[in-house]
């Protein structure tokens, strides 16, 4: 299996991308990685890997493709892709398009990744819009939020497809049997929400290649009432950012409260292992990134502030998507997806 990694994407490139790629090669013997970036710089960064012996053992499965241009988050995605023909996005995604690799991983511009995946790799036939899928921590097992921000103005049939693609991902990657797909709304009743939500509910309630769990309110999003939460990308991104903010605030308040007194410090010491495990369960680093579902290849968007561990996890996630045949399953199920108006 071959995976292309954008060596120049993210805040700490190229070191964390190179280190994460080498770590992944050490872990997975069936993996080959192609690093896209300025040849000389990437080769120098590879040579600086901390464990020379470990590097030597995987060097034969690590290659570099010269991509001297980088698309920043400030640039207009489509214009930058057209102008920068030798960027890491264009060069890397062209490799996937030609079938020379099965996946592309980047911590760079979300807009460029979305546009590049659509125009370079291409959408699966029948998919209206690819969608970003993000795993959120839920008691017992994670829940997948689709769309997490790739499409801010969505039609009802797009959201139905988001639910279908999310169901395929949970079945093949997370090994969840018969995933329950919920619709993010302001109430549980079928008549709740705006026109978009009501029409989406009507379509999801019809026979579909996934199990529909009904409307899910935002306050119940992390309560484990569904495995996939389908949403308009604008609303989904608001939920995602709010969840991240609330979790960060709660941990900060908890730490501040415990450290404010002697008794609190003793309690914190006694519960140290519990707090460590709890924090780890909310750690986005271990997720690695968000898959872009609906394109002809495994495309993973890692966080812009990813460290080497996060890049490793993003590569691991890409490997799971490829090994699980998620793209093939989405291709099969979108062909028989029943939506109103078809």
């Amino acid at each position: 299996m071959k995976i292309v990694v954008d060596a120049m994407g993210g805040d700490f490139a190229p070191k964390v991308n190179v280190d994460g790629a080498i770590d992944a090669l050490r872990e997975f013997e069936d993996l080959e990685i192609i690093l896209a970036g300025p040849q000389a710089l990437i080769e120098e960064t590879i040579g600086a890997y901390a464990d020379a012996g470990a590097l030597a053992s995987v060097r034969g499965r690590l290659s570099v493709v010269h991509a001297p241009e980088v698309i920043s988050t400030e640039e207009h995605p489509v214009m930058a892709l057209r102008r920068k023909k030798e960027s890491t996005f264009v060069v890397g995604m062209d490799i996937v398009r030609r079938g020379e690799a099965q996946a592309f991983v980047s911590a760079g511009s979300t807009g460029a990744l979305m546009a590049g995946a659509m125009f370079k790799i291409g959408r699966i036939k029948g998919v209206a819009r690819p969608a970003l899928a993000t795993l959120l921590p839920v008691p017992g097992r994670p829940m997948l939020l689709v769309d997490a921000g790739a499409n801010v103005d969505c039609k009802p049939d797009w959201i139905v497809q988001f639910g279908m693609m999310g169901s395929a991902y949970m079945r093949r990657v997370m090994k969840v049997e018969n995933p329950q797909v919920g619709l993010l709304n302001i109430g549980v009743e079928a008549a709740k929400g705006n026109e978009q939500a009501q029409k989406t509910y009507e379509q999801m309630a019809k026979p579909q290649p996934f199990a529909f769990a009904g409307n899910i309110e935002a306050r119940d999003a992390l309560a484990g009432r569904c495995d996939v939460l389908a949403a308009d990308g604008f609303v989904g991104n608001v939920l995602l950012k709010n969840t991240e903010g609330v979790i960060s605030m709660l941990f900060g308040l908890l730490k501040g409260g415990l450290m404010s007194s002697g008794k609190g410090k003793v309690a914190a010491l006694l519960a140290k292992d519990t707090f460590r495990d709890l924090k780890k369960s909310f750690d986005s680093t271990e997720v690695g990134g968000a898959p872009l579902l609906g394109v002809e290849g495994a495309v993973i968007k890692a966080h812009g502030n990813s460290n080497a561990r996060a890049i490793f996890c993003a590569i691991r996630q890409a490997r799971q998507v490829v090994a699980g045949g998620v793209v093939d399953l989405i291709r099969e199920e979108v062909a028989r997806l029943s939506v109103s108006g078809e």
Side-chain angles (χ1 to χ4, degrees):
M1 182 188 302
K2 289 186 179 181
I3 295 176
V4 181
V5 175
D6 173 9
M8 299 305 295
D11 300 337
F12 308 111
K15 179 174 172 49
V16 299
N17 302 319
V18 171
D19 286 358
I22 296 171
D23 291 344
L25 289 172
R26 294 174 62 184
E27 180 74 17
F28 306 111
E29 295 183 357
D30 63 340
L31 201 60
E32 294 182 41
I33 291 179
I34 303 168
L35 293 169
Q39 185 91 32
L41 174 61
I42 304 308
E43 292 286 0
E44 179 184 351
T45 307
I46 292 172
Y49 186 73
D51 190 333
L55 171 61
S57 69
V58 302
R59 191 64 179 87
R61 293 185 284 122
L62 180 66
S63 60
V64 180
V65 60
H66 186 51
E69 297 179 309
V70 178
I71 296 176
S72 71
T73 56
E74 288 77 26
E75 295 179 86
H76 187 281
V78 176
M79 295 301 294
L81 287 167
R82 290 175 178 171
R83 187 173 64 254
K84 295 184 174 181
K85 302 294 186 181
E86 294 184 280
S87 69
T88 54
F89 279 104
V90 174
V91 172
M93 288 187 180
D94 273 345
I95 293 173
V96 177
R97 178 182 57 81
R98 294 194 300 267
E100 297 169 12
Q102 292 76 50
F104 180 82
V105 175
S106 177
S109 164
T110 301
L113 180 125
M114 177 73 176
M118 288 184 66
F119 299 129
K120 291 295 179 180
I121 298 176
R123 286 177 290 171
I124 292 172
K125 183 178 180 180
V127 171
R129 290 291 189 280
L132 281 172
T134 299
L135 287 169
L136 296 178
V138 171
R141 64 188 182 205
M143 179 196 70
L144 193 70
L145 172 65
V146 193
D147 179 20
N151 306 280
V152 295
D153 291 299
C154 296
K155 297 179 180 179
D157 57 304
W158 299 4
I159 303 175
V160 175
Q161 286 191 345
F162 298 164
M164 179 276 296
M165 294 190 294
S167 176
Y169 180 91
M170 293 301 282
R171 284 161 57 190
R172 291 295 177 89
V173 176
M174 304 306 295
K175 307 304 180 184
V176 178
E177 294 185 12
N178 194 33
Q180 300 296 300
V181 178
L183 174 64
L184 184 59
N185 206 337
I186 61 172
V188 298
E189 298 86 358
K192 284 287 188 178
N194 56 16
E195 182 179 1
Q196 176 205 62
Q198 292 178 27
K199 288 185 176 180
T200 303
Y201 185 99
E202 290 177 6
Q203 292 186 23
M204 283 189 162
K206 297 177 181 179
Q208 303 289 358
F210 57 80
F212 182 43
N215 285 328
I216 304 293
E217 294 186 75
R219 65 183 178 185
D220 295 324
L222 301 183
R225 297 190 179 182
C226 65
D227 302 294
V228 178
L229 187 59
D232 177 287
F234 180 88
V235 178
N237 191 262
V238 170
L239 174 66
L240 173 63
K241 298 294 177 59
N242 180 68
T243 300
E244 292 174 340
V246 169
I247 291 172
S248 177
M249 179 191 69
L250 288 176
F251 274 114
L253 291 173
L254 183 60
K255 181 178 179 180
L258 290 173
M259 295 295 103
S260 64
S261 67
K263 290 182 178 179
K265 291 178 181 179
V266 172
L269 182 62
L270 293 173
K272 181 179 179 181
D273 291 343
T274 300
F275 288 138
R276 184 188 63 241
D277 292 343
L278 182 62
K279 187 174 182 180
K280 185 177 180 180
S281 69
F282 288 100
D283 187 2
S284 61
T285 296
E286 293 301 313
V287 174
L292 182 65
L293 302 177
V295 294
E296 289 284 0
V299 177
I300 306 295
K301 171 62 177 77
H303 296 281
N305 64 350
S306 289
N307 56 21
R309 176 64 184 177
I311 296 298
F312 166 88
C313 292
I315 294 170
R316 180 183 64 190
Q317 189 178 32
R319 177 177 175 272
Q320 291 172 329
V321 171
V322 175
V326 173
V327 173
D328 291 335
L329 182 58
I330 290 176
R331 190 184 299 112
E332 293 168 8
E333 294 199 344
V334 75
R336 61 189 183 90
L337 181 63
S338 172
V339 295
S340 60
E342 289 192 348

